[in-house]
Amino acid sequence: MRDTLVVAKKELKEFVAFAESKRGLTVQILIFVGWLGIFMPLQEPDFAKTPWLTVFLPLMVTGGVVADSFAGERERKTLETLLATRLPDRSIYAGKVLAAVVYAWLMTTLVSTISIIVVNLGGKPYVPSFAGIISRLVAAALVSALVALIGVNISLRAKSVREAQQTLSLLFVLAPLSLTFLLPAAIRHMPAGLRSSMSRGLESANPLAVGGALMAILAALDAALLAGGIRGFRRSRLIP
Amino acid sequence: MSTTVIRVEHLCKSFNGSRAVDDLSFEVPAGVVFGFLGPNGAGKTTTIRMMLGLLEPTAGGVSVLGFDARTQAERVRERVGVLLENDGLYDRLTAYDNLDYYGEIYRLSLVERRTRIQGLLEHLELWQHRKEKARVFSKGMRQKLALARALLHRPPLLILDEPTTGLDALSAVSLREDLLNLARSEGVTVFLTTHNLAEAGKVCDRAAVIRRGRLLAEGSPGDISAMASRPRVEIEGRGFNDGIVLSAIRGNPLVESATLDGERLAIDLKGGGSIAPIVALLVGRGAEIEQVRKHGADLEEAFVSLLKEGDR
């Protein structure tokens, strides 16, 4: 675990150091806080109550960190020296994933918190329950991990940062689009009986139980991707 | 610890059917600066990658510091400091942060890291640049910083792949001096690849020459020079331009070739040839000898000669 933290710390430090010179990190934070944390909740107070931020913000902010994780090291010719150290394969891989998760989770938590404050300041009192806060935090971490794992695996195989960014952008545009259009279309084309029984089931189900089940599925998916990623990580495949 | 730090035995590596390393065997004793010499594409970097367990050999094996590089690669990498073909520095991080990261990787405590980083950077005259990002460093400064990183965790073995490539003459001399000073003061065995023969001749205690993945020669630079070249004798005096004297010299079984340039006779002896019988022959034929000089080829000439022989 200590090795994983060492790699993650350096990843974040390098990301911040790079962004600092271009004011990139500050600009990114200001955009997300201004748009999703202030503007949207003022326009639509219910925005802060929906899981929209928890699901989509990690998609938007993780790309920059994960695209660079392996492809950037390969491009800047630092990867082989890193691979020649004592670090175990799993720590290098997990450290890169952890850095992206931490960044996406912090950003999601920051923007969500600000959006709730803004809604309350706007005269629409909204205090999420303790269970609601915890489930948001956990869900943000699980979605961030899913995005980070997919992104790191893409970066691992990409020849350059640009190639990794392009693949990730395509994926991160397609994922919300499919959720927005394909899911409703799929539901519309379901047999009427199945659709109504699903609808009845969801209406009668405990929202916490549904949320818990979704998070369990996400957690299982994350664990499977992490295990697969670590198993498939081979130093010899990364040597040019 | 065994007195042999690196043992390479019948090592082979093929890529898509083409042999990059071909039945390579040699040993590196502890405490020496070992030069691994060869032209570009000779298989030097591939051999280093196999030593570090980054590539798996197709056949044969490597043991480093008593550990099998194939099955105990993590143990090897724990104990080795490396400066590879690319310096591997993080341009976005400061010089200090670059070293600090590797110090953490090698599990040095905070106090150890501070002391060690300061010591190395001061020794290499980079301490005043510790807060500058690596991207603003010159090539020479980068190589020094990468050398400091390789030595940070006090490894008993340092593997350096072409450390002076791309440096101007002054920077190369400076890096070489720093490397030797640090290696001596820290008692490190150094495995150094280079195609700079002058450098190898100056710094290496032992060397191996490879070409197309095969070992051509191994020994001290002096041994390699002697192995690969015929000693040359220059004799100055009078009475050599008698055709009979010259024919007698050329016909001598110890002599490879002889040329006369005014009053100077240059003779290439066959391997291990002695001068005394040649001098006796000349004196016996009435020549007057004023001066005799025997030269061995330097490492560079020997290297070229070995490569030519390897091509035959």
Side-chain angles (χ1 to χ4, degrees):
Chain A
M1 191 60 196
R2 183 174 160 186
D3 293 332
T4 304
L5 291 175
V6 168
V7 175
K9 191 175 116 187
K10 176 254 146 193
E11 286 293 300
L12 288 170
K13 196 181 245 184
E14 209 187 359
F15 181 68
V16 172
F18 180 59
E20 179 197 48
S21 62
K22 294 179 172 178
R23 305 281 179 263
L25 186 64
T26 320
V27 169
Q28 194 178 53
I29 291 172
L30 286 177
I31 287 174
F32 285 118
V33 168
W35 172 41
L36 300 173
I38 300 171
F39 179 75
M40 290 299 287
L42 283 178
Q43 296 297 307
E44 177 51 66
D46 281 348
F47 182 78
K49 297 178 190 169
T50 64
W52 198 93
L53 278 176
T54 312
V55 175
F56 291 108
L57 197 58
L59 277 179
M60 289 188 270
V61 299
T62 315
V65 187
V66 286
D68 201 67
S69 57
F70 283 102
E73 293 243 21
R74 190 181 288 120
E75 204 168 271
R76 293 188 292 277
K77 302 186 190 314
T78 53
L79 186 58
E80 193 172 352
T81 304
L82 179 69
L83 297 176
T85 65
R86 56 160 290 282
L87 286 174
D89 291 354
R90 62 181 177 281
S91 300
I92 298 177
Y93 181 85
K96 304 268 184 193
V97 172
L98 181 64
V101 172
V102 167
Y103 176 66
W105 185 82
L106 283 176
M107 189 74 112
T108 306
T109 306
L110 173 76
V111 174
S112 298
T113 309
I114 291 174
S115 71
I116 291 168
I117 294 170
V118 166
V119 167
N120 282 284
L121 289 175
K124 302 263 183 183
Y126 166 59
V127 181
S129 65
F130 180 72
I133 292 171
I134 296 297
S135 59
R136 272 174 186 242
L137 293 176
V138 174
L142 291 173
V143 175
S144 301
L146 181 69
V147 178
L149 282 159
I150 294 170
V152 167
N153 280 317
I154 288 171
S155 180
L156 199 54
R157 285 159 183 80
K159 288 187 182 75
S160 65
V161 178
R162 177 171 286 194
E163 187 187 314
Q165 277 170 340
Q166 284 170 344
T167 312
L168 281 165
S169 306
L170 192 67
L171 194 73
F172 294 167
V173 166
L174 286 178
L177 278 180
S178 29
L179 277 177
T180 314
F181 297 108
L182 294 181
L183 194 62
I187 291 169
R188 268 199 309 277
H189 287 89
M190 272 181 187
L194 178 63
R195 198 167 58 217
S196 61
S197 65
M198 271 180 68
S199 168
R200 275 196 306 276
L202 280 173
E203 277 165 14
S204 60
N206 178 350
L208 275 178
V210 173
L214 284 174
M215 282 199 267
I217 292 169
L218 262 181
L221 202 56
D222 287 347
L225 278 173
L226 181 65
I230 289 173
R231 210 173 29 247
F233 185 92
R234 291 281 174 278
R235 278 169 150 86
S236 54
R237 288 187 201 156
L238 299 174
I239 298 296
Chain B
M1 191 178 70
S2 128
T3 50
T4 299
V5 171
I6 300 173
R7 180 172 284 122
V8 175
E9 289 176 303
H10 304 292
L11 190 67
C12 299
K13 180 68 189 176
S14 300
F15 295 105
N16 303 322
S18 130
R19 282 246 161 136
V21 174
D22 190 3
D23 197 26
L24 191 62
S25 298
F26 63 89
E27 289 186 357
V28 178
V32 301
V33 177
F34 189 93
F36 195 46
L37 319 177
N40 291 336
K44 304 188 295 286
T45 301
T46 304
T47 306
I48 286 183
R49 287 173 173 168
M50 288 190 280
M51 284 178 187
L52 294 168
L54 298 176
L55 285 180
E56 284 212 359
T58 309
V62 192
S63 90
V64 178
L65 297 160
F67 297 103
D68 185 325
R70 192 201 298 245
T71 57
Q72 298 170 297
E74 281 191 23
R75 292 193 163 195
V76 171
R77 291 193 288 261
E78 238 168 48
R79 291 161 174 81
V80 174
V82 297
L83 197 176
L84 301 176
E85 222 169 348
N86 297 300
D87 58 44
L89 295 171
Y90 292 98
D91 284 348
R92 301 167 181 178
L93 299 184
T94 63
Y96 190 95
D97 283 344
N98 263 286
L99 297 190
D100 196 49
Y101 176 43
Y102 275 80
E104 284 196 88
I105 287 177
Y106 286 98
R107 301 201 162 176
L108 303 185
S109 70
L110 183 65
V111 177
E112 267 180 301
R113 292 204 304 273
R114 278 187 190 154
T115 317
R116 185 75 175 140
I117 292 171
Q118 182 167 357
L120 284 167
L121 290 184
E122 278 177 353
H123 189 108
L124 295 166
E125 295 172 355
L126 291 175
W127 179 243
Q128 65 274 30
H129 301 288
R130 67 189 178 282
K131 291 179 183 166
E132 291 169 24
K133 290 195 173 164
R135 68 164 169 259
V136 303
F137 276 26
S138 68
K139 174 83 178 157
M141 288 162 80
R142 290 179 73 93
Q143 288 298 88
K144 284 187 176 191
L145 184 59
L147 178 62
R149 185 196 56 210
L151 284 162
L152 195 65
H153 58 294
R154 300 184 192 277
L157 171 65
L158 202 56
I159 294 180
L160 310 171
D161 195 1
E162 308 273 3
T164 54
T165 299
L167 296 185
D168 58 60
L170 274 178
S171 306
V173 169
S174 167
L175 182 76
R176 196 159 60 222
E177 282 171 0
D178 287 331
L179 166 67
L180 287 179
N181 288 339
L182 285 166
R184 279 183 198 129
S185 66
E186 309 219 347
V188 182
T189 303
V190 179
F191 182 87
L192 165 88
T193 77
T194 183
H195 50 234
N196 181 338
L197 282 305
E199 175 178 88
K202 280 177 194 155
V203 304
C204 297
D205 304 305
R206 293 186 67 77
V209 180
I210 65 163
R211 163 83 156 175
R212 293 188 186 131
R214 293 188 75 94
L215 185 72
L216 298 180
E218 190 200 347
S220 70
D223 289 343
I224 292 177
S225 302
M227 223 182 284
S229 61
R230 295 172 187 96
R232 164 170 281 218
V233 181
E234 284 181 359
I235 303 172
E236 285 180 24
R238 281 175 291 278
F240 305 146
N241 53 357
D242 178 343
I244 299 168
V245 172
L246 205 54
S247 305
I249 291 291
R250 285 178 175 151
N252 190 291
L254 298 173
V255 172
E256 180 73 27
S257 65
T259 50
L260 184 61
D261 178 15
E263 292 186 339
R264 196 175 68 208
L265 181 61
I267 303 170
D268 286 327
L269 296 172
K270 286 181 178 165
S274 165
I275 311 173
I278 308 295
V279 173
L281 176 70
L282 288 169
V283 172
R285 299 275 171 162
E288 293 172 22
I289 294 174
E290 288 185 352
Q291 198 174 31
V292 178
R293 283 191 301 269
K294 188 178 181 182
H295 306 282
D298 65 13
L299 189 59
E300 191 152 3
E301 286 167 334
F303 180 73
V304 172
S305 156
L306 279 167
L307 295 188
K308 281 181 183 165
E309 280 174 26
D311 280 344
R312 274 180 213 146

